[in-house]
Every structure is written in structure tokens, then in C-alpha cells.
Amino acid sequence: MPGVLWLAALFVAPLVIIAVISLGSLDDAGHLVLGQPTLDNYARALQPAFLPAFAKSLYYATTTTVVSLAIGYPVAYWISRYGGRRKIALLVLVMLPFWTSYLIRSYAWMIILRDNGVVNSALIETGLLADPIQMLNTDFSVILGMVYGFLPFAILPLFVSIDRLDQRLVQAGRDLYASGRGAFLHVTLPLTMPGIVAASLLVFIPALGDWVTPDLLGGADTTTIAKIVQVIFTSGRDWPYGSALGFMLMGVTIVGTLAGLRSLRRELIG
Amino acid sequence: MSGDRKPPGVTFDDALNHKLAKAGWSRREFIARVGAFGAYAALTQLLVACASPAASPTAAPATPSPTPAGTTTAEATPEPTAEPTAVPEPEGELYVYNWDGYIGEETVAKFEDQYGIKVTYDLFPDEATQIGKLQSDGKGGGYDVSYPASTWMPAFIADGTVRALDHSLIPNLANLSPQWQNPGYDPGNQYSVPNAWWTTGYAWDPRRIDGDLTSWDTLWDPALDNRMAMLDDVRECFAAAAFRLGLSPNTTDLGELDQILASLAEQKPLLRLYTQDDIGDMVGGTVDLSHCWSGDWVQMTYEKARIRYVIPEEGSIKGNDVMVVLSGAPHPIAAHLWINFNLDAQISAENTNWIGYMGPNEAALPMIDDYIRDDPRLNPPAEVLAELVELAYLAPADLAKYTDRWTQLRAG
């Protein structure tokens, strides 16, 4: 029951507010008018011009999810199997970056990646590079920043799921002549799939809505759809229009996620 | 002119203080991003909470009101009353709402000492937050004084967000230089007092780009591919392209706006980024040339003295912000005292010397650091100033024309 209350107060209520605002309009002084609901904002938000930004968002979120899983799974596996008494300490280390503002960490990445930054200077000093290579303000720097920021969200659920795995099942697989690789592919991986799904969602969904990282580490050509929403809200001062676009994106995300989960479940169960 | 920006004496200390205080980052943008990430972190945690109901989610972005209780005191009409007392008794408190780092280091403390008024000095992270707060209840969100951009004045006067000033309580208005006595956005300064002003232009590193640059065309020069930044600001970008095309930066003509959009779309592939940190990008060497505001250029020179700045010859933007007393101000007399205090020659000069932005105060000129006052790019002669254009307030329907084109440009 408290869970339902939480959901109602912190999830449903804000959504309803956004939905109501998205049907509103602005008067000549820029004040919100909610009296005459209209779908105009949705029509306006359905712009082919926004597709490239939406594609960028999908590209960043997908790449970030895949890379985070590829790095996060071995890390979580290693902590669970070989962490021993230091497990907790290692998990705390995973969480440690959260103790510093994301903003400050992003600025650190700027200093590391920029043309006369730490990486380029080191490579040029050692003679490995003649001229600096551009890393900052590219797709690379955006994805790097996102992976860095979201990786802990992948490691933690993966760890829980790997740690809960009954190792006797893996041993049973080995007893039945499975190779190490076979036991991993046919026992460990399927049994930790819930952790993989949770990790994917926890990385993919916030990554899809990220505009801070592309803003800080990106360039002229790394605009995500979330940035467009932000522009409409702030410099555009048009809450109804921004709410409509945001609501549509949320719908796409929810439908896409549910469809993905359903097909995954079908694959796993049936 | 662009040589040594640090004359001997006190100005060097000022420069150093600036440097330490700001660590080379644009004050406004840094704060803006701290604010932005706060909301972002809250959303992320909400998602985690949705995935596991046991976790405790962070509240949705409802901004807590920083304002202490503020019922409007039954106050006399804002117009001068017929009472014989020259100066009414000021209230014991004052609520001020301003940018961070946008006032002299000691101004607040000096005001408190002089008048025995306790100042609650709240900061906003970006203009959208400020305007949202001031308009939240239609009368200033509980604050006494705030510092909006002058372009907001016609709207604020029309919808009653600000109150008419009682000039008898602000004798220091006489310190304003003549061109600030009667500004277009608020004739006669009836509702506002100019605070700080700036120009828009661009800065470049002469070690990387030769010559005396003078034109907006440089920002469209294919030879500078991937070495330039434009401000991440719709009005400023549109203005730059408008000046280049010989159009008004305040145009609302759809055909002209489409021309401007086409010009910006032509420029976009040449840009390395639309910057929110022009200071950091120039000082850090990310770009060799950046569209910027004059005050930000001053801050760049604290780190790299050689960086140059120009107000392009095709014309450019002049902007300023103002001090206003909000219509719901709980402490209107103290608010007038605050404005009068900040118009004091000495205080005004201290503000300018700390923040790097010129003020409108003629009496303060002798006390302003000469590297600010004597630089024609920071303090252009009257004939140059007269040519500069102010960005006009755009009604929602006109602003939408800009927003639609800007989002198309950025998304494309």
C-alpha cells in the first residue's frame, strides 16, 4: 500500500500534470492557459525535422547500454566470484564516483579529452602523436561520458543477479560435461538474464533522456531529442509544447520498453 | 589596447581574485548546469525507484521556495505620497534575487552595516528559473528586488510583475549617465534602474588566427572549419546571422527568419560546438574563435591575456539588465534603499570592478579600474554604442517562430 502511494504521488501525479499542461496553450503575455484543451502542441511536436535528434538519442542510448553491459558484466562477475571479503569494499568503489557531482566529473573529462588535454599532451610528449586528435565534442566523447556516468547502474543489478546465482547449478553443468564456456552460456547467462534486463533498462532509459552529457562533452552535431525538449522549455518558454514533445517521447519509450521486455520474456520462457 | 590587461596595483589582485573565484568557468553556465543536473539526478533516482519499489525516490522537481514567509504588507501606493516625511522608515529585512557572483564582493555586507537591514540574498541558476519564479504568483514570487534582463520590462510592466519606483527614494538616479536616463524599454526609468551592460561580439586567439578580424563573415569562414564556437543562445545566434545578412536582429518576418535559419544551417557544419562555456573553451584551446559577450571576454583575458575581442562592423547587440522592485515586495522601502545604495558611485564601481561588466553609472567612472573603463570594446564610445541594437522582447507567438527554427537547426 505505501508502494502504491509512492507511485501515485511521485509518478502518476507528475505525469497527469504534464499531460494537462501539454493540452494547454499560452496567452499573449506568455501565461499558461488550461481552459481550452487542444492537441495543437502534439501536431507541432510531430516534426520530421526532429527525427535526426531522436535517432541520435537512440544511437547514444543503445551504444551506451551495450558498452555498459560489456564492461559491467565481467566487472560484476569478478566482484561476485573473486571479491571475497572485499566485495562490499569493491561495490563501494563502484559507487564512489557518485559522491562527486556528475557535473564536476564531466568537466574532468573535458580536461582529459580536449585538444591540449591530458591524453593528447601525453601522447605528443611521448612522441606517439604529432598533432592532437580531436576527442572532445564528438560522438566518442559523448558515449564515453555516458558509459562512465551510467556504468554503475549496470554493475549493481548485474552483481545482485550474479551473486544470487547458486553456484551448484554451474557445478552440475560441469558435472554433466559442459565446458567452462558451455556452462557459462547455458547456465550462468540465462540465469542472470533478469540482471541483464534490469541493467539494460537502468542504463538505456536515462541515457535516452540525457541532454547534460551531450551538452557538456558533445559538439555542434550531437544534439539529442532531450536537448530539444530542454530548449523548448527554457529559451522557448513554451511549457505546453515542451510537455507534449516530452510526453510523446515518454510514450515511445514505454511502448518500446514493454515490447522489448515481452519479446525477451517469450524468448526466455517459451 | 589588447596588450597588457593587468595594470600594476590593485587591478592585478582583482584579476587574481576573479581567477580563483571563478576557476575560469562562466559563472552563469556553471551554476545553470549544477541546477540542471540536480533535476537530472532526481529523475534518475526516480527510475531506480520505479524498478525497485523499496528504494526511496527523490521528489519531483518542485522547486522549494527559498523565500521566507512573505505576506505583502499593506503598503502605500508606489507613487510618491503626499506624506511630509522625506524618507519613510525602512523595513528590517530585504529579499534579493540575483545571479551568483554578479555583485561586488562586499556590497551586501556594506548595505547591511549601513542600514541595519538583514538581506536574504537568493541566487537563481538561469534566466528561465528566474522568470518562472518572478511570474509564479504574478507579483515576484515573494522577493523585493530582482535583476531581469531589460528586454523583460515591457512584459513585466504590462502584467504588473514590477511596481513603479518612487524616485524620491532614489536620489542617486542622478548618477546615471545621460544615455541611461531614458532607456527605450522603460522610458524615464519609471519601473527599473539599469544595472550592468554588455556588448556581443566574438573573441579569438591571435596566435592561431592572424589579422584584425572585424566582420561576422569570419564566423562563416570555411578556413576555420571545426575551430569555432557559437553561443548556445537562440537570440544571439539569430542576431549574428541577421547582422551578417543586413537584417534586423528583432525581425519577426517569416521570410527573413527563414533566410537567417538557412544562413545558420550553412554555418553549423563549420562549428565545433554551440558553447555554454565560451570562457573555458577559449582558455582551454578547444576553439580558436568564439562568439561571446564582452564580460566573458574580460574573464578570458584573466587566463590568456592575448585573446582579442571585436564588436563586428556590421552591427551587434547591446544588452543590459535592470534592478526592479517587484509588485508583491514585502519590503518596498528597503528595496528602494537597496537600489539607491547600488547606484552610489563607490558601490557601483566596486560592483563593476568585481564582475567585469560596465555599469550605467557616470559618477562611478573615475573609480572603475582603468583596464575596464578605458577599453573601447568594454566601454565603447557613444557613437559606437548608438549603433548597437537591443534585443527586443518577443511575444509568445513571435518567440515560437524563433524556437521552431532553432530546434530545427539543432535537431538537423
Side-chain angles (χ1 to χ4, degrees):
Chain A
M1 198 54 197
V4 176
L5 281 179
W6 274 122
L7 268 183
L10 298 169
F11 185 70
V12 178
L15 281 190
V16 170
I17 292 171
I18 297 173
V20 169
I21 292 177
S22 74
L23 299 174
S25 52
L26 297 175
D27 67 14
D28 287 343
H31 298 297
L32 200 56
V33 179
L34 299 175
Q36 304 105 22
T38 163
L39 287 172
D40 287 356
N41 295 311
Y42 286 90
R44 196 170 160 210
L46 272 176
Q47 277 211 38
F50 291 166
L51 282 177
F54 188 61
K56 270 280 183 207
S57 293
L58 276 180
Y59 168 61
Y60 289 148
T62 309
T63 315
T64 301
T65 307
V66 170
V67 176
S68 295
L69 287 178
I71 300 174
Y73 199 95
V75 170
Y77 191 85
W78 185 85
I79 294 176
S80 168
R81 297 297 306 279
Y82 304 106
R85 285 179 299 129
R86 291 165 302 164
K87 259 186 209 176
I88 298 296
L90 290 168
L91 285 177
V92 169
L93 283 181
V94 169
M95 299 290 293
L96 199 62
F98 283 129
W99 297 4
T100 307
S101 156
Y102 186 73
L103 191 63
I104 293 184
R105 290 182 281 140
S106 295
Y107 268 98
W109 277 115
M110 285 186 202
I111 293 168
I112 292 170
L113 295 177
R114 64 191 181 199
D115 294 6
N116 56 4
V118 177
V119 175
N120 272 314
S121 305
L123 289 176
I124 290 172
E125 285 292 318
T126 53
L128 289 170
L129 211 61
D131 293 309
I133 44 173
Q134 181 186 334
M135 290 176 282
L136 194 59
N137 315 118
T138 61
D139 284 347
F140 167 76
S141 57
V142 173
I143 291 167
L144 178 72
M146 283 176 137
V147 168
Y148 170 76
F150 293 124
L151 189 55
F153 293 120
I155 292 178
L156 294 178
L158 286 170
F159 170 82
V160 170
S161 141
I162 294 169
D163 206 48
R164 274 188 195 153
L165 176 66
D166 190 340
Q167 285 304 317
R168 288 173 303 181
L169 294 172
V170 181
Q171 284 159 11
R174 296 302 298 267
D175 285 348
L176 296 168
Y177 302 106
S179 62
R181 185 162 168 267
F184 177 78
L185 285 180
H186 297 292
V187 180
T188 310
L189 202 57
L191 287 174
T192 53
M193 196 51 85
I196 295 175
V197 173
S200 304
L201 288 179
L202 285 181
V203 173
F204 184 83
I205 293 174
L208 193 65
D210 191 6
W211 59 270
V212 176
T213 313
D215 239 21
L216 293 172
L217 300 175
D221 197 28
T222 62
T223 306
T224 58
I225 193 72
K227 168 73 178 178
I228 300 296
V229 176
Q230 188 249 351
V231 164
I232 292 170
F233 266 92
T234 53
S235 67
R237 300 196 299 272
D238 196 337
W239 287 32
Y241 180 30
S243 299
L245 181 56
F247 214 65
M248 272 169 44
L249 291 172
M250 197 158 44
V252 170
T253 310
I254 289 174
V255 170
T257 308
L258 289 180
L261 281 179
R262 178 163 294 190
S263 73
L264 198 70
R265 200 169 59 187
R266 207 171 292 143
E267 210 165 281
L268 288 178
I269 297 171
Chain B
M1 272 304 165
S2 63
D4 185 9
R5 311 218 52 73
K6 292 163 194 155
V10 68
T11 48
F12 178 73
D13 289 336
D14 286 351
L16 190 66
N17 284 336
H18 275 288
K19 185 172 167 177
L20 293 174
K22 290 173 182 137
W25 287 335
S26 161
R27 162 190 81 253
R28 297 185 177 195
E29 294 306 337
F30 183 71
I31 302 300
R33 273 175 255 167
V34 172
F37 184 65
Y40 166 84
L43 284 175
T44 316
Q45 292 188 19
L46 192 62
L47 274 162
V48 174
C50 293
S52 75
S56 90
T58 309
T63 342
S65 166
T67 332
T71 42
T72 318
T73 48
E75 185 48 45
T77 51
E79 275 74 34
T81 55
E83 287 175 46
T85 40
V87 180
E89 186 67 21
E91 303 84 358
E93 279 196 87
L94 180 69
Y95 304 151
V96 181
Y97 196 39
N98 197 1
W99 296 96
D100 191 10
Y102 203 52
I103 192 165
E105 192 185 15
E106 297 169 348
T107 303
V108 175
K110 285 186 174 177
F111 178 82
E112 289 184 324
D113 285 350
Q114 180 161 339
Y115 293 102
I117 293 172
K118 185 184 172 304
V119 178
T120 302
Y121 195 83
D122 283 346
L123 307 172
F124 49 81
D126 54 53
E127 189 182 46
T129 307
Q130 176 197 22
I131 302 305
K133 186 82 187 171
L134 295 183
Q135 290 190 328
S136 60
D137 60 353
K139 51 184 187 171
Y143 288 100
D144 292 306
V145 177
S146 192
Y147 291 70
S150 65
T151 43
W152 284 98
M153 287 315 296
F156 279 179
I157 295 169
D159 68 13
T161 303
V162 297
R163 69 165 64 199
L165 298 173
D166 180 349
H167 282 200
S168 72
L169 294 175
I170 316 176
N172 284 338
L173 276 171
N175 288 342
L176 291 177
S177 59
Q179 75 261 31
W180 290 104
Q181 297 282 4
N182 197 23
Y185 55 82
D186 177 18
N189 290 318
Q190 287 186 60
Y191 293 85
S192 65
V193 173
N195 174 59
W197 58 271
W198 56 85
T199 64
T200 309
Y202 58 86
W204 77 96
D205 183 344
R207 249 184 232 171
R208 309 271 301 166
I209 302 173
D210 284 334
D212 292 319
L213 305 181
T214 56
S215 167
W216 284 114
D217 281 335
T218 306
L219 283 157
W220 274 257
D221 184 352
L224 297 174
D225 184 17
N226 205 31
R227 295 163 62 190
M228 300 183 290
M230 289 292 279
L231 288 169
D232 186 4
D233 183 303
V234 48
R235 294 298 303 278
E236 292 288 1
C237 282
F238 274 61
F243 284 120
R244 178 172 175 261
L245 297 169
L247 302 173
S248 159
N250 294 314
T251 181
T252 55
D253 178 88
L254 289 175
E256 293 185 358
L257 286 169
D258 283 338
Q259 261 182 282
I260 291 171
L261 174 62
S263 176
L264 290 172
E266 176 199 334
Q267 179 199 39
K268 186 182 172 189
L270 300 174
L271 298 177
R272 175 137 171 181
L273 76 162
Y274 292 94
T275 181
Q276 305 201 355
D277 184 16
D278 49 346
I279 300 171
D281 287 331
M282 280 300 292
V283 170
T286 299
V287 291
D288 299 329
L289 185 151
S290 181
H291 187 206
C292 74
W293 289 291
S294 52
D296 282 1
W297 167 65
V298 176
Q299 294 179 37
M300 290 174 198
T301 61
Y302 294 148
E303 308 259 349
K304 267 191 187 173
R306 66 172 183 269
I307 292 179
R308 297 179 63 184
Y309 174 80
V310 69
I311 302 169
E313 61 197 359
E314 295 94 340
S316 192
I317 296 296
K318 169 183 76 169
N320 72 289
D321 49 23
V322 295
M323 295 183 276
V324 293
V325 179
L326 297 150
S327 56
H331 315 105
I333 307 298
H336 280 80
L337 286 183
W338 172 265
I339 290 176
N340 192 53
F341 185 76
N342 277 279
L343 280 175
D344 176 78
Q346 178 67 36
I347 296 296
S348 174
E350 287 174 13
N351 287 344
T352 290
N353 291 339
W354 183 253
I355 68 176
Y357 282 86
M358 282 295 293
N361 198 316
E362 192 159 74
L365 282 175
M367 285 163 282
I368 289 177
D369 291 339
D370 46 12
Y371 76 100
I372 296 177
R373 183 192 58 222
D374 296 342
D375 192 309
R377 293 158 298 187
L378 293 176
N379 189 15
E383 63 271 20
V384 176
L385 217 46
E387 295 292 310
L388 299 178
V389 182
E390 289 177 21
L391 287 174
Y393 170 80
L394 294 177
D398 288 330
L399 180 61
K401 298 176 190 170
Y402 280 74
T403 305
D404 281 342
R405 283 164 184 77
W406 179 242
T407 51
Q408 274 175 35
L409 173 77
R410 299 299 302 276

